[in-house]
Amino acid sequence: MQSSIIFTLASCVFFMGLVGFVSWYKTRGTVEDRDGYFLAGRGLGATFIAGSLLLTNLSAEQLIGLNGSAYGFNMSSMAWEVTAAVATIAMALIFLPRYLAGAFTTLPQFLADRFDDGVRRMSVVLFMLGYGLVTIPSVLYSGSIAVMQLFDVPGLTGLDYVPALITTVIVIGVTGAIYAVLGGLKAVAISDTINGIGLLIIGILIPVLGLIALGGGDFARGLATLTTDHPEKLNAIGSSTDPTPFGTIFTGMIFANLFYWCTNQYVIQRTLGAKSLAEGQKGVLASGFFKIMVPFMMMIPGVIAYHLYGPGFATIDQAYPRLANDLLPIWLAGFFLAVLLGAVFSSFNSLLNSAATLFALDVYAPARGGKVDDKSLVRIAKIASVVIALFSFTVAPLLHFAEAGLWQVIRIFTGFYNIPTIAIVIVGLFTARVPALGAKIVIVFHVVTYGLLRFVFDDVVTLHFIHQYALLFVAEVAIMLAVGYWKPLKEAWRFTTRDEVDLTEWRFAKPLAVTLFSCVVGLYLLFSPLALASTGGFSTMFYALGSALVIVNLAIWGIASRRAGTG
């Protein structure tokens, strides 16, 4: 037992050290100026963008939580992951071309350009409060809990639970902070990409080994058992009693995903560092296809666990840790731990890097009248990263002592700034005379109204909070348009193009977007009563609709190929 623990830890340190070395080697001498530190020198290619987006978005919380949801309920929670692919299409085709054309480093910088510095300051306050008080500490806390569930940290260290939790938080936080503080965005993107490869390997390996175990050593028999026994577990069409009702994907979830993938600073920052529009579009769309794979990597194992162990766990979140511990051989345990830790501190260091970027470029630099040299900006960003990291080390373990209350705040806090942000950005991009006053009214209106809905009238208003998102979005767009009609800008806003990178669109972006959207539709057809979730097998309707999707894609790609050949 002792030798296996030592081997696991030693191999984990080896893999993490390898990632660290490659990240350091690739970033030597490239992070001393503004663009180098905050935007990786505007030189990120599609591979690093896709890899970093994948690891920024996926962490131990999803690995355990999504599998737990599939184990305890069904596949309905895949909605948050799969429908995000639609948001990546919007980012690639609509938002990214405008962000790169304006050579923006942060979203608040765009808001200042479109509206005024007042809107910029208000948005920075919302983002910084969200990141510093809730998002960063919660990522550290949830990641540490995941590691402690998968590997008995108190047993390994001999510490009580709380000291073991604090130790885990600090180890994960310090590791992530090293990349973010010393290497900037480029180190974050490189380490994310390498860890992303590891996550894909583990994500494919666990369900394959699980199906072999389910079939008593026979993969095909395990697959047959998965698809015939308890087909209701493979249903993604959530009812009103499921974690994610199906109807929500057509209302507020659209806007929540648009915010996350198109306007959330810590996600979009790596796309703003693209070396060209074409590379950025390739990377963003590739990340959309990775989201399509999430149900197979992070939910099917939960269903396999249900088949293997039954419904006997004390909590549904125990399903994936038990499955991983039972399936992985000792020689892979260290690699798995390294991948898990990589996924955790990837989200942490991305948040840390973006929070420091916001502080340096949207708080410190404007306060100094914009007259700050690159070296000073990078130094301030590094100091801010250290301060924010130390603060998060203090806050994260406190979540343990008031878990119920604070986790409720964590789940709803994003709602305070996601909907007004996406509403303001959309109206800002597609109108020319709506003034800053409209954006300011919307921010105040949303914070007050959403706070009342969640904390005062929560028992009275029974409408699902995701549906509330949609209603608030419509109301806030209407408010901005009304203000624009009432007090329009005397001079229409004009977008100023800055030629920092090649803005030529990738010629296959649109046909690939059609294919990606088709995959979303096809996945819902597969995990529905028309196919896998039916006791009667695949229906005629499934084959008809699936064939229609294939025909549409063949036609689109045929047209695109002919245009490429004649272009």
Side-chain angles (χ1 to χ4, degrees):
M1 179 67 179
Q2 189 67 27
S3 61
S4 64
I5 293 174
I6 294 174
F7 180 82
T8 296
L9 294 177
S11 56
C12 173
V13 170
F14 169 77
F15 286 118
M16 292 180 68
L18 181 62
V19 173
F21 173 77
V22 173
S23 300
W24 167 80
Y25 183 79
K26 289 288 188 179
T27 57
R28 294 175 303 163
T30 64
V31 294
E32 299 305 319
D33 62 3
R34 173 186 176 129
D35 277 356
Y37 190 81
F38 298 117
L39 290 179
R42 297 190 186 274
L44 292 180
T47 301
F48 288 125
I49 292 172
S52 190
L53 284 173
L54 174 68
L55 258 289
T56 296
N57 176 246
L58 298 178
S59 188
E61 187 175 0
Q62 285 90 343
L63 197 63
I64 290 179
L66 287 173
N67 277 299
S69 181
Y71 168 83
F73 299 95
N74 52 26
M75 299 285 288
S76 64
S77 288
M78 83 176 196
W80 286 105
E81 305 300 320
V82 173
T83 61
V86 180
T88 65
I89 294 173
M91 179 61 180
L93 300 183
I94 300 173
F95 291 86
L96 185 59
R98 290 165 173 80
Y99 290 155
L100 292 182
F104 299 115
T105 306
T106 68
L107 182 76
Q109 184 185 353
F110 161 73
L111 296 178
D113 181 81
R114 172 58 181 87
F115 296 108
D116 63 15
D117 281 333
V119 177
R120 179 188 209 169
R121 285 191 291 270
M122 293 175 77
S123 66
V124 169
V125 168
L126 289 177
F127 274 117
M128 293 294 287
L129 286 175
Y131 289 171
L133 293 177
V134 179
T135 311
I136 296 177
S138 69
V139 164
L140 272 182
Y141 176 73
S142 61
S144 299
I145 292 297
V147 171
M148 293 178 69
Q149 284 182 330
L150 287 163
F151 297 90
D152 184 15
V153 176
L156 293 176
T157 60
L159 297 172
D160 292 334
Y161 186 85
V162 174
L165 173 62
I166 295 173
T167 301
T168 307
V169 165
I170 292 174
V171 169
I172 293 174
V174 168
T175 306
I178 289 173
Y179 292 109
V181 174
L182 299 181
L185 181 63
K186 188 170 183 179
V188 171
I190 292 172
S191 63
D192 285 354
T193 302
I194 299 172
N195 285 317
I197 295 171
L199 183 64
L200 288 175
I201 293 172
I202 290 295
I204 295 171
L205 188 61
I206 292 289
V208 169
L209 293 177
L211 289 173
I212 292 173
L214 186 60
D218 187 332
F219 177 86
R221 184 183 300 170
L223 185 62
T225 301
L226 178 75
T227 55
T228 54
D229 293 354
H230 302 289
E232 72 281 357
K233 302 294 290 184
L234 297 176
N235 189 15
I237 312 299
S239 67
S240 59
T241 58
D242 286 321
T244 309
F246 183 63
T248 60
I249 71 175
F250 303 104
T251 59
M253 193 176 295
I254 296 172
F255 306 112
N257 277 328
L258 284 176
F259 160 77
Y260 187 87
W261 288 94
C262 304
T263 64
N264 195 349
Q265 177 67 29
Y266 96 95
V267 174
I268 69 171
Q269 190 165 338
R270 57 265 311 120
T271 67
L272 300 180
K275 62 184 178 183
S276 68
L277 174 58
E279 287 296 303
Q281 289 177 322
K282 292 174 189 177
V284 171
L285 291 173
S287 69
F289 281 98
F290 284 136
K291 298 298 286 183
I292 295 296
M293 297 171 61
V294 167
F296 300 99
M297 298 190 301
M298 296 189 176
M299 297 197 76
I300 290 298
V303 180
I304 293 172
Y306 182 85
H307 284 280
L308 288 174
Y309 310 123
F313 289 124
T315 66
I316 59 176
D317 286 341
Q318 293 178 359
Y320 189 76
R322 170 70 182 277
L323 188 69
N325 285 329
D326 288 351
L327 294 179
L328 289 177
I330 185 62
W331 56 274
L332 270 178
F335 175 66
F336 178 68
L337 178 57
V339 168
L340 179 68
L341 288 172
V344 173
F345 68 65
S346 168
S347 295
F348 171 72
N349 62 30
S350 296
L351 279 161
L352 198 61
N353 178 261
S354 295
T357 300
L358 288 171
F359 179 81
L361 300 183
D362 293 303
V363 177
Y364 181 79
R368 298 294 298 272
K371 299 176 181 178
V372 187
D373 60 83
D374 286 5
K375 187 174 181 179
S376 297
L377 273 178
V378 171
R379 179 175 59 85
I380 290 298
K382 290 181 178 180
I383 294 173
S385 295
V386 172
V387 172
I388 296 168
L390 292 174
F391 180 75
S392 66
F393 295 167
T394 303
V395 175
L398 298 179
L399 294 173
H400 172 72
F401 297 101
E403 189 171 346
L406 284 179
W407 271 114
Q408 179 66 9
V409 173
I410 291 166
R411 284 193 293 270
I412 68 173
F413 190 87
T414 304
F416 278 102
Y417 60 93
N418 60 359
I419 299 304
T421 300
I422 189 63
I424 290 169
V425 170
I426 287 177
V427 172
L429 282 174
F430 296 103
T431 67
R433 292 192 178 272
V434 173
L437 177 63
K440 294 171 184 176
I441 291 174
V442 159
I443 291 174
V444 175
F445 167 81
H446 181 90
V447 170
V448 173
T449 305
Y450 186 74
L452 290 173
L453 286 172
R454 299 305 300 161
F455 294 110
V456 178
F457 301 115
D458 188 42
D459 294 333
V460 179
V461 180
T462 59
L463 186 68
H464 197 284
F465 78 93
I466 300 179
H467 292 314
Q468 293 177 21
Y469 281 176
L471 293 178
L472 287 169
F473 175 84
V474 172
E476 287 155 21
V477 168
I479 288 172
M480 292 191 70
L481 294 178
V483 173
Y485 179 80
W486 173 45
K487 285 193 173 183
L489 290 172
K490 293 180 180 179
E491 185 176 340
W493 172 73
R494 296 183 184 278
F495 191 89
T496 303
T497 300
R498 301 174 180 87
D499 296 324
E500 296 284 344
V501 298
D502 182 2
L503 297 176
T504 304
E505 183 178 277
W506 183 38
R507 61 184 180 181
F508 293 120
K510 290 177 181 175
L512 193 65
V514 172
T515 299
L516 180 54
F517 183 79
S518 300
C519 288
V520 173
V521 176
L523 208 56
Y524 267 99
L525 290 175
L526 181 65
F527 292 107
S528 77
L530 295 177
L532 292 177
S534 170
T535 55
F538 288 65
S539 67
T540 304
M541 181 64 70
F542 171 81
Y543 289 113
L545 294 175
S547 299
L549 287 175
V550 172
I551 292 170
V552 168
N553 275 271
L554 289 175
I556 293 292
W557 278 99
I559 294 171
S561 298
R562 284 197 297 272
R563 287 180 177 175
T566 58

